[in-house]
Amino acid sequence: MASEQRAAGIIGTIVAAVALASIPLSFTGPEALRLAVIGPFLLAGPGTALILLLKPARLRKGTGFEVTPLAVAIAVSFSLASAILLSTAMLYSGFWHPSVAVSLLAVLTLGLLAAVDRRSRRREPAP
């Protein structure tokens, strides 16, 4: 149980670092670096934060199978769907700024990760 929480913490830290790095890179920076950071973030960042919030370890109880492939599929699907919905809303509103879209998705991701952190701190026993 503790190793699962530690792994979730490491994954959350990596996703938060990539989300924070994608905000300034969405506005400026070398194209290769922007592609290397923002591409994977848009592919899996918001969805991974959602999966951490859903706690796949809790979903694993009573299912009898490994949920990692399902968690990866949900993470990628949610990330792509949120990016598509946001870009569609921007197109219809006439406010087409991809840099702002990446920043909004990063803020969404950081908000989900903050909810995960707050929930884990609330459930930890007092020393």
Side-chain angles (χ1 to χ4, degrees), residues 43-66:
L43 184 63
T48 303
L50 177 71
I51 289 296
L52 291 175
L53 187 64
L54 293 176
K55 294 190 77 138
R58 184 177 59 181
L59 298 174
R60 187 179 303 138
K61 292 179 182 176
T63 59
F65 64 93
E66 182 65 34

Side-chain angles (χ1 to χ4, degrees), residues 87-121:
S87 62
T88 302
M90 291 176 85
L91 279 173
Y92 279 116
S93 68
F95 182 77
W96 179 248
H97 295 284
S99 299
V100 173
V102 171
S103 298
L104 287 174
L105 288 172
V107 168
L108 169 72
T109 302
L110 292 171
L112 288 171
L113 290 172
V116 170
D117 186 53
R118 185 175 48 205
R119 183 180 62 193
S120 68
R121 289 182 192 271

Side-chain angles (χ1 to χ4, degrees), residues 7-19 52 113:
I10 292 170
I11 291 170
T13 303
I14 292 169
V15 171
V18 172
L52 291 175
L113 290 172

